[in-house]
Amino acid sequence: MAEEVVSYERRGRIAVVTMNRPEYRNAQNSAMTYALDDAFTRAVNDDEVGVIVLAGSGKHFSAGHDIGTPGRDVDQSFERRAVQWWDHVGASGGDNRFAREMEVYLGMCRRWRELPKPTIAMVQGACIAGGLMLAWVCDLIIASEDAFFADPVLRMGIPGVEYFAHPWVLGPRGAKEALFTGQRFDANRAYELGMLSKVVPRAELEERVFETAEQIATMPRFGLALAKKAVNQAEDLMGMRSGMDAAFGLHHLAHAHNAETSTDSLGGQDARSMREGGA
């Protein structure tokens, strides 16, 4: 596991998986994505682990996909376990983008949503775009009062991040408001929309997360796994998986349109322009 971008710790029955690029607000490059997959696999395979907590080091949970740090690695291959498509390196055009995003974004997130052990996202500060995807795959999200959320990728002409869970976690109108405006919404608004499990003072965040995790960890492991599967299947019966597939196609139509009509598949946007726009 790439220890420099993800750390792993056992605290009794709780595994703590922490994104560790605080200098870049835990922006997710592929190295981090594969390291997260390694860490989650380790937790699932450890019979002593009952609950997995996903955290971000520093002031922020995650600012989303890495679109501009020195560690951006879109042109690199990794030793892959969660193979959803062939390797994108060496492919061109839509094949390249589709292959990479099917693997490291949509595919990985779906894999993590189906982990048989309960997961809790511990969110502080920024949870933007790709950061939402990591929080949304978790079963519970506990956020501090200073947390804020946004999916601003419509500024790129792209209709939302790859793991398109928006209508299920925000409701249809909340999803449209978040997407159409691209603006931040705070933890209280996220709680009102049903996205968060709890909102707590920043100083109490870790304590409250572990309090909840320890309570869950006392429940029967197999019963927890079945309950999780039952709820996930109910979401899928409400159209979540097929809706996500449809949105992923629109996402890549937007990438292709940008590539033909602007300087790149991101519509000429970069990390700075996205921040200046309110992300």
Side-chain angles (χ1 to χ4, degrees):
M1 186 176 67
E3 294 289 343
E4 69 274 12
V5 292
V6 170
S7 67
Y8 183 94
E9 177 188 2
R10 260 270 312 274
R11 301 189 194 177
R13 297 268 293 153
I14 302 164
V16 186
V17 176
T18 305
M19 294 176 281
N20 191 33
R21 298 185 78 203
E23 67 275 29
Y24 302 117
R25 302 198 299 173
N26 296 316
Q28 306 152 29
N29 56 10
S30 293
M32 176 182 282
T33 302
Y34 283 97
L36 285 171
D37 192 61
D38 286 344
F40 290 141
T41 300
R42 179 177 175 183
V44 169
N45 289 335
D46 186 343
D47 288 341
E48 297 302 314
V49 169
V51 177
I52 304 166
V53 170
L54 175 62
S57 61
K59 295 181 179 180
H60 302 286
F61 179 74
S62 176
H65 299 333
D66 185 346
I67 62 172
T69 83
R72 193 178 187 213
D73 51 17
V74 294
D75 297 324
Q76 296 182 33
S77 294
F78 289 81
E79 183 179 349
R80 301 183 302 155
R81 180 186 300 113
V83 177
Q84 302 294 327
W85 209 261
W86 49 70
D87 194 357
H88 68 289
V89 174
S92 59
D95 186 359
N96 175 283
R97 287 190 295 272
F98 189 94
R100 180 173 184 273
E101 295 192 359
M102 175 59 78
E103 172 75 6
V104 302
Y105 298 151
L106 181 58
M108 288 286 195
C109 285
R110 280 179 164 171
R111 174 183 172 90
W112 301 335
R113 175 180 177 253
E114 296 299 329
L115 295 177
K117 295 182 178 180
T119 54
I120 303 174
M122 181 166 65
V123 177
Q124 80 284 359
C127 183
I128 305 296
L132 290 174
M133 293 167 50
L134 295 184
W136 287 348
V137 301
C138 294
D139 302 305
L140 304 180
I141 306 173
I142 300 177
S144 60
E145 292 170 336
D146 68 343
F148 58 92
F149 309 88
D151 184 358
V153 301
L154 195 63
R155 295 195 189 102
M156 300 175 175
I158 298 172
V161 290
E162 297 83 358
Y163 184 83
F164 193 83
H166 307 61
W168 290 270
V169 297
L170 299 173
R173 286 185 173 80
K176 289 176 181 177
E177 179 181 358
L179 289 165
F180 292 176
T181 68
Q183 295 299 304
R184 297 177 179 182
F185 52 101
D186 64 17
N188 289 328
R189 176 60 172 158
Y191 183 78
E192 289 174 355
L193 292 168
M195 177 180 142
L196 302 181
S197 309
K198 298 176 183 177
V199 179
V200 302
R202 178 69 182 89
E204 298 176 16
L205 178 61
E206 187 169 328
E207 176 186 353
R208 298 287 292 276
V209 167
F210 282 91
E211 179 182 273
T212 300
E214 287 168 1
Q215 182 179 10
I216 294 170
T218 65
M219 302 293 279
R221 182 178 74 167
F222 189 52
L224 285 169
L226 293 179
K228 176 170 180 171
K229 182 171 283 292
V231 176
N232 284 358
Q233 287 174 335
E235 281 188 309
D236 289 340
L237 288 170
M238 289 186 275
M240 183 171 174
R241 188 175 183 89
S242 57
M244 203 173 285
D245 284 336
F248 191 65
L250 296 175
H251 181 97
H252 280 277
L253 171 62
H255 272 317
H257 177 76
N258 284 344
E260 290 194 21
T261 61
S262 70
T263 57
D264 56 43
S265 65
L266 301 181
Q269 297 282 337
D270 58 21
R272 172 175 291 183
S273 66
M274 294 294 283
R275 284 197 302 272
E276 290 174 350

